[in-house]
Amino acid sequence: MTVAAGLGYALIALGPAFSLFAGVVARKPFLVLTLLSSTLFWLMSLIVLSGIWRGFLPIKSGTWWAYAILIITSVALQEGTRLVFWRLYKKMEEMLDAFADRISKPRLSLTDKMLISFAGGLGHGVAHAVFFCLSLLTPAFGRATFYVERCSKMPFFLASALIALGFLVIHTFSMIIAFNAYDEKKKCDQIVVPVVHLAAAVMMLVNLAPGGCLIGTPLLLVMAVLTLQYCWRVACRRLTEHQHRQLNN
Amino acid sequence: MADAAAAVPGDPRDGPTVLDSLGEDITRIVYPVTTCMLLVVLLVSLLSSPSAPSPLAASIAATTGGGGVSGGGDDIPTALVTALTFVVAVTAATFLLALLFYLRCTPCLRAYLGFSALSVLLVLGGQVALLLLSRLRLPLDAVSFALLLPNAAGALALAALAPASVPIALHQAALVAIAVLTAFWFTLLPEWTTWALLVAMAIYDLAAVLLPGGPLRVLLRLAIERNEEIPALVYEARPVDPRHGRNWRLWREGGQPGASSTTVEVIGEVLGRNLDCNSGYSSSPQVHEVATSAGDANNSRPRATLAAALSSADSSIAQAEEVPVLQEHRVAVAEMRVPLIQPHPERYGEEEEDEDGIGLSSSGAIKLGLGDFIFYSVLVGRAAMYDYMTVYACYLAIIAGLGITLLLLAFFRKALPALPVSITLGVVFYVLTRTLLEEFVVQCSTNLLMF
């Protein structure tokens, strides 16, 4: 429905990401590079996934359990990618610290580490929004709109933009929680992140039912808000502890 | 929470950490490459007809019965022949360039550079402008157009060729404009020809720089011996950190036997080049002077390759003594610019020149030749003719290739071509996206199943 609608959908999916980028990530060039590399990682995991599943597509519409298996394998692979990303980040952190020592500058502070994990999460989220929503948005710039059969109350583009927004928030902030958990070795947080991801993805199965997208999309946004709130708690706790430790020293 | 909020911004105890300016070099070259690709994608989507409809567009537009434009009259043998001709012509032209450089014909090379920049902007720019005017239905009469076009073309050509006399932003914008126009022109070639050309140029670049008899290597050696500047179209990233006062950088001395730089140091040098070298570069500063060389561009498209040729001249040794004494270390890091000339195929009469290559300029910023810009944008523009998903995938692949090339440059410290890694990754990702990814994503998305 014209350029205005297309732009509107694109902004629904990526507006918050854009402002986060402009406000936080663009200030430090290293974060931009982190964002680009985590986007690349996510894309590579998606390509591997599609390689695995290519032989089984197209899935017949009646078999919802096939979709369930698809989702579970996808989430498992992406969580594996997160672990690999964490390992690479640890190596990079060592190199950066050694470099900082060599040029007599202070090492990475806690804020820096959180910023790096934030940029990484934002990269994942942006990759998700771009590949699942933005790349399919081209027809929306034309003259008409498109409705999927099972979701006759919301245009397809609107539904996918809202879902992309939800997942963007979830990816971004669960990366901060995850890196924090790996760093502090807190088992419960380490479990929370994959569980949240899986729950959000499984929730999308509701969309398979006729009219289900009216339930699935708001639920996903609620999930995103919950992730955001949890991340806020984790970050605050960590930063206050860090500050107290510094005051005591 | 107020405490945490107060503690969050900047951690005043620590001061500016190493994260503040790290990687700024790479970002300053990624942004213009991104802009060039973005402009080419925009032009392509506005002005070209699609090569083949993507699955989603086809499924949506099924009722209208539209779509399905085949890539008309274009097959693999023709494409291969065309690409081969191009590469042969480029090789010949590079040898010719080396010969001219050897004979010191600088004025004619310089004049040619100006002529080709002007012709790109005038002819191609005029063509694109006309297409845009007709596509967007903008009202502009012929007289105004005839007045505006030559003026704009002349001004931009001047800005591109005389960087010292115009603001650097204008100079960079003019270079990007030239690259965009040339890349857009290249995307007008038939599909298989474009892909064959890209792959052939990548292979040629690799061979020409790394093989002992390669033309670029010959030119490189000539340029090192001569220590000369070549006037060429090269994009120079803005000098970084003016508050640090200088844009010099320190390189480890290349001639040191057994001086193996660890990953840390190499990456540190690549990423942290613009950190203030006075702020306590504790280990003995090894000053390294890289010979500056520049290749003149000839009647074709010169392409320099990625090179950081190292050599020590007498002046660098003298400076090395002065280094502990002087407040400021002057490291002249030269750039290796090896133009690779590519004449156009016979059916097109245009000739232009740009330069390729990644190097380090005397002001310390990264320089990337215009030919690299052009071929990256051609790849992305061709991907845009299929669908936007391929555009995003190819963009990420090219940027990743660029980063890898920079790291390889820091490791090997010798002449390296800038095209092969990016083009290979770009083509691989294009193929993977088109065959595997698209079907998968469309399946999941149309069922509103995302993860």
Side-chain angles (χ1 to χ4, degrees):
Chain A
M1 296 195 300
T2 76
V3 176
L7 267 180
Y9 293 133
L11 282 176
I12 290 178
L14 281 176
F18 186 67
S19 37
L20 285 173
F21 179 84
V24 179
V25 173
R27 301 206 176 175
K28 303 200 184 211
F30 188 74
L31 295 179
V32 174
L33 297 175
T34 313
L35 189 139
L36 283 174
S37 47
S38 86
T39 313
L40 186 71
F41 258 96
W42 200 90
L43 171 64
M44 289 200 292
S45 78
L46 196 65
I47 289 184
V48 166
L49 202 56
S50 59
I52 298 175
W53 275 94
R54 182 70 176 91
F56 302 99
L57 298 174
I59 301 182
K60 287 194 295 288
S61 44
T63 56
W64 64 269
W65 47 266
Y67 287 118
I69 300 180
L70 183 116
I71 286 188
I72 293 179
T73 49
S74 314
V75 171
L77 191 72
Q78 288 189 349
E79 293 303 318
T81 314
R82 200 193 296 274
L83 271 173
V84 169
F85 198 60
W86 162 254
R87 291 276 151 72
L88 285 175
Y89 160 70
K90 273 318 242 183
K91 284 222 188 70
M92 178 55 87
E93 194 185 318
E94 283 166 20
M95 283 198 268
L96 284 178
D97 278 339
F99 178 67
D101 286 339
R102 212 162 53 100
I103 59 168
S104 313
K105 279 208 166 200
R107 297 185 148 209
L108 289 177
S109 66
L110 181 63
T111 324
D112 284 337
K113 296 184 196 173
M114 287 195 153
L115 279 176
I116 295 181
S117 63
F118 172 73
L122 193 61
H124 273 20
V126 161
H128 178 277
V130 159
F131 282 98
F132 275 106
C133 171
L134 205 63
S135 53
L136 302 173
L137 215 52
T138 328
F141 285 88
R143 261 172 273 170
T145 188
F146 183 61
Y147 286 82
V148 195
E149 267 178 38
R150 294 201 194 99
C151 191
S152 49
K153 303 281 170 62
M154 252 202 302
F156 165 69
F157 304 115
L158 182 63
S160 79
L162 286 173
I163 296 177
L165 174 66
F167 269 108
L168 187 141
V169 171
I170 290 181
H171 280 307
T172 310
F173 296 105
S174 59
M175 186 70 88
I176 301 182
I177 302 174
F179 271 34
N180 209 46
Y182 295 143
D183 206 22
E184 289 185 315
K185 305 216 179 349
K186 286 200 158 188
K187 276 292 180 200
C188 71
D189 277 354
Q190 285 180 15
I191 303 287
V192 157
V193 166
V195 162
V196 160
H197 192 186
L198 192 62
V202 166
M203 217 180 279
M204 290 291 101
L205 282 173
V206 170
N207 290 335
L208 285 176
C213 60
L214 291 173
I215 309 173
T217 318
L219 272 184
L220 179 71
L221 292 174
V222 164
M223 203 83 193
V225 167
L226 284 178
T227 315
L228 189 56
Q229 208 255 345
Y230 191 72
C231 175
W232 174 250
R233 278 206 335 245
V234 163
C236 275
R237 178 183 49 82
R238 186 88 194 270
L239 284 168
T240 30
E241 275 173 14
H242 182 73
Q243 207 196 16
H244 285 167
R245 219 174 296 140
Q246 280 194 327
L247 283 172
N248 289 341
N249 284 356
Chain B
M1 278 226 240
D3 295 333
V8 162
D11 258 327
R13 254 161 244 277
D14 291 350
T17 65
V18 72
L19 206 64
D20 276 343
S21 54
L22 204 58
E24 201 161 355
D25 282 341
I26 305 183
T27 323
R28 280 183 193 272
I29 207 75
V30 163
Y31 282 148
V33 172
T34 309
T35 316
C36 184
M37 289 199 236
L38 186 71
L39 286 173
V40 171
V41 167
L42 273 176
L43 275 181
V44 163
S45 11
L46 275 178
L47 297 177
S48 293
S49 55
S51 58
S54 54
L56 183 71
S59 67
I60 288 182
T63 49
T64 65
V69 177
S70 73
D74 166 47
D75 51 344
I76 304 188
T78 325
L80 286 178
V81 166
T82 317
L84 208 60
T85 320
F86 202 69
V87 168
V88 164
V90 165
T91 320
T94 316
F95 276 119
L96 183 63
L97 173 73
L99 182 68
L100 278 175
F101 186 58
Y102 183 68
L103 297 174
R104 299 177 193 272
C105 291
T106 316
C108 62
L109 292 175
R110 203 182 271 278
Y112 186 72
L113 186 70
F115 168 71
S116 57
L118 190 62
S119 67
V120 164
L121 284 168
L122 205 55
V123 179
L124 288 187
Q127 223 176 19
V128 168
L130 281 175
L131 285 172
L132 277 176
L133 281 178
S134 72
R135 172 77 173 72
L136 298 175
R137 318 249 175 116
L138 297 174
L140 185 66
D141 60 305
V143 178
S144 314
F145 186 76
L147 269 178
L148 285 174
L149 181 67
N151 276 301
L156 282 180
L158 203 62
L161 294 170
S165 44
V166 294
I168 194 168
L170 188 59
H171 168 67
Q172 291 174 339
L175 288 175
V176 170
I178 294 178
V180 164
L181 289 173
T182 321
F184 176 71
W185 176 83
F186 263 119
T187 59
L188 295 177
L189 293 172
E191 179 154 16
W192 280 109
T193 313
T194 318
W195 290 113
L197 194 68
L198 283 170
V199 172
M201 285 316 300
I203 298 177
Y204 168 77
D205 205 10
L206 196 64
V209 175
L210 297 179
L211 288 183
L216 290 176
R217 203 160 163 159
V218 165
L219 199 53
L220 225 71
R221 216 175 304 136
L222 264 180
I224 295 177
E225 288 166 10
R226 296 276 190 82
N227 212 14
E228 274 177 18
E229 272 285 343
I230 304 182
L233 291 174
V234 148
Y235 185 93
E236 175 177 345
R238 217 179 270 254
V240 187
D241 276 335
R243 65 176 179 209
H244 283 267
R246 64 207 49 118
N247 306 306
W248 316 114
R249 46 187 83 136
L250 294 176
W251 282 77
R252 206 160 278 275
E253 181 137 41
Q256 249 179 11
S260 53
S261 25
T262 61
T263 317
V264 178
E265 288 150 349
V266 168
I267 294 191
E269 282 175 357
V270 170
L271 295 180
R273 267 191 280 259
N274 289 296
L275 294 174
D276 194 355
C277 31
N278 273 349
S279 70
Y281 207 96
S282 50
S283 50
S284 57
Q286 313 270 350
V287 172
H288 209 181
E289 177 163 273
V290 182
T292 312
S293 78
D296 266 321
N298 211 350
N299 270 5
S300 353
R301 171 165 311 151
R303 279 183 57 252
T305 58
L306 177 62
L310 314 175
S311 71
S312 28
D314 291 348
S315 49
S316 74
I317 298 177
Q319 282 179 355
E321 329 283 330
E322 292 176 279
V323 151
V325 177
L326 278 182
Q327 183 84 34
E328 353 173 69
H329 317 205
R330 285 203 67 172
V331 182
V333 177
E335 93 223 89
M336 194 50 84
R337 189 124 317 134
V338 187
L340 160 64
I341 309 176
Q342 313 163 3
H344 294 240
E346 290 74 49
R347 35 197 171 126
Y348 305 97
E350 290 270 334
E351 295 185 285
E352 44 205 346
E353 52 190 23
D354 336 273
E355 254 196 33
D356 259 12
I358 285 188
L360 300 163
S361 74
S362 49
S363 70
I366 290 187
K367 281 192 179 185
L368 181 62
L370 224 53
D372 287 331
F373 273 77
I374 290 174
F375 283 108
Y376 294 162
S377 308
V378 168
L379 197 147
V380 171
R382 182 42 76 171
M385 287 180 163
Y386 181 68
D387 190 32
Y388 282 146
M389 202 179 296
T390 42
V391 168
Y392 302 130
C394 290
Y395 168 73
L396 287 173
I398 289 180
I399 299 292
L402 192 61
I404 292 177
T405 315
L406 282 173
L407 283 179
L408 282 180
L409 171 64
F411 266 122
F412 286 107
R413 300 171 190 270
K414 55 186 266 256
L416 286 178
L419 275 191
V421 182
S422 290
I423 300 283
T424 318
L425 280 180
V427 171
V428 164
F429 271 64
Y430 177 81
V431 168
L432 285 178
T433 305
R434 194 160 159 173
T435 54
L436 297 177
L437 189 64
E438 187 142 26
E439 186 61 44
F440 181 73
V441 169
V442 167
Q443 254 284 292
C444 287
S445 296
T446 45
N447 289 307
L448 290 178
L449 278 178
M450 305 189 191
F451 41 82

